[in-house]
Amino acid sequence: FTLVYISIGRIASGLDETYLAAMGLGQKFEAVAFTVCEGFRLACATLVGQWLGAGRPKRARAAVAVSVKLCVVAMVPFAVALFAFGPMLVGTFSSDPAIVAAASGYLRWNSGVLVFLALEAVTEGAFTGAGNTFPVLCIGSLCNLGRVPVAHYLTHTAGW
């Protein structure tokens, strides 16, 4: 995860230092949603582990389904707030109009992926609770590593 963001930071700084500052600022807001998803991930892991340990796999699957729904629903207010109020939120930490504009764009983009963050986190929790951590490695690696070529494409090829 850290190496991915270093790579994306390199892409951003290659465009202009404003984008690197905006990315760092945007990540501060993104971290709140990430922390909430991590809570759901841990809760799901615990529930799945307990239900599987009790020999009740149907209850484990039901716990995953409920955890996914709740986490996705929990991300909706974050997504709306980051999308609709990004400039106001960012403006509390920076008075530079270029940074505010770039960070607001970053938050708008990321607001659209918070539902997928919820799905990723809860799915990882389900596999962890089942004691099968290899899919967690694969899911996490693919989701995070996939950000680098997407960022490169959007900035260098698509001109965003």
Side-chain angles (χ1 to χ4, degrees):
F1 180 78
T2 302
L3 292 176
V4 167
Y5 267 94
I6 290 171
S7 299
I8 293 173
R10 182 85 170 138
I11 293 168
S13 66
L15 299 171
D16 186 88
E17 63 187 29
T18 299
Y19 295 107
L20 182 60
M23 188 179 93
L25 189 54
Q27 286 176 341
K28 306 289 189 272
F29 294 100
E30 185 183 26
V32 177
F34 180 80
T35 302
V36 171
C37 285
E38 283 299 292
F40 278 98
R41 182 182 67 80
L42 293 171
C44 185
T46 301
L47 291 169
V48 167
Q50 288 179 339
W51 285 120
L52 289 177
R56 299 187 62 192
K58 287 182 182 179
R59 294 294 297 169
R61 283 191 291 279
V64 174
V66 170
S67 297
V68 166
K69 289 175 190 172
L70 290 174
C71 193
V72 167
V73 167
M75 287 301 101
V76 170
F78 285 104
V80 169
L82 295 180
F83 187 86
F85 304 111
M88 183 181 72
L89 294 169
V90 172
T92 61
F93 294 96
S94 176
S95 59
D96 184 324
I99 292 174
V100 170
S104 297
Y106 176 91
L107 291 176
R108 282 193 191 96
W109 268 97
N110 281 350
S111 69
V113 299
L114 291 180
V115 169
F116 299 106
L117 172 63
L119 292 171
E120 175 191 358
V122 174
T123 302
E124 287 177 354
F127 280 114
T128 300
N132 188 4
T133 56
F134 184 70
V136 174
L137 172 68
C138 294
I139 293 167
S141 296
L142 289 174
C143 288
N144 284 303
L145 290 173
R147 296 175 186 194
V148 176
V150 169
H152 190 271
Y153 171 78
L154 289 174
T155 55
H156 290 84
T157 306
W160 293 23

